[in-house]
């Protein structure tokens, strides 16, 4: 079982390294896009409208599990939460 975990880290190494780097500087929450106007924080289920977030695209990596590129966005909310959104596209309204 351990060899599978080690292989997974190597497969998505560029994504993993960037996520760890961002976690280390305080981007610890996980966000999910609900629709084109709203995000949700997965830790507390709080919803945020696009007007209440500041987002930057910080990197990109290829995910061999989904066979697609993932874009790493940083999210900063109006209430001070800092976290990440992994998505298959860049959300231009967020930047």
């Amino acid at each position: 079982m351990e060899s599978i975990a080690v292989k997974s880290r190597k497969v998505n190494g560029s994504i993993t390294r960037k996520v760890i780097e961002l976690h280390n500087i305080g981007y610890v929450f996980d966000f999910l896009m609900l629709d084109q106007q709203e995000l949700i924080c997965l830790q507390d289920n709080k919803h945020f409208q696009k007007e209440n977030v500041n987002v930057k695209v910080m990197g990109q990596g290829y995910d061999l599990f989904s066979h697609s590129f993932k874009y790493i966005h940083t999210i900063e909310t109006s209430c001070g939460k800092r976290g990440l959104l992994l998505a298959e596209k860049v959300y231009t309204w967020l930047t």
Side-chain angles (χ1 to χ4, degrees):
M1 195 70 153
E2 186 175 330
S3 63
I4 293 172
V6 171
K7 185 176 182 180
S8 297
R9 281 191 297 239
K10 290 181 182 175
V11 166
N12 292 320
S14 62
I15 295 172
T16 302
R17 280 189 301 278
K18 191 65 173 178
V19 167
I20 290 170
E21 174 187 322
L22 292 165
H23 278 178
N24 287 337
I25 60 171
Y27 291 93
V28 296
F29 291 98
D30 300 308
F31 288 87
L32 178 67
M33 181 66 63
L34 291 179
D35 58 32
Q36 292 299 314
Q37 303 294 316
E38 188 174 33
L39 294 165
I40 185 171
C41 176
L42 296 177
Q43 279 76 17
D44 63 7
N45 293 322
K46 185 167 181 173
H47 294 239
F48 296 92
Q49 296 298 313
K50 70 178 186 177
E51 297 83 19
N52 297 320
V53 297
N54 182 20
V55 179
K56 294 180 183 173
V57 177
M58 300 303 289
Q60 175 190 34
Y62 189 75
D63 179 7
L64 287 176
F65 296 116
S66 66
H67 302 288
S68 64
F69 283 96
K70 300 289 184 181
Y71 294 90
I72 304 166
H73 301 74
T74 56
I75 309 287
E76 293 186 25
T77 69
S78 57
C79 68
K81 281 187 170 45
R82 294 173 45 175
L84 303 173
L85 166 70
L86 295 177
E88 292 184 359
K89 68 177 191 173
V90 173
Y91 286 93
T92 56
W93 63 260
L94 295 172
T95 56

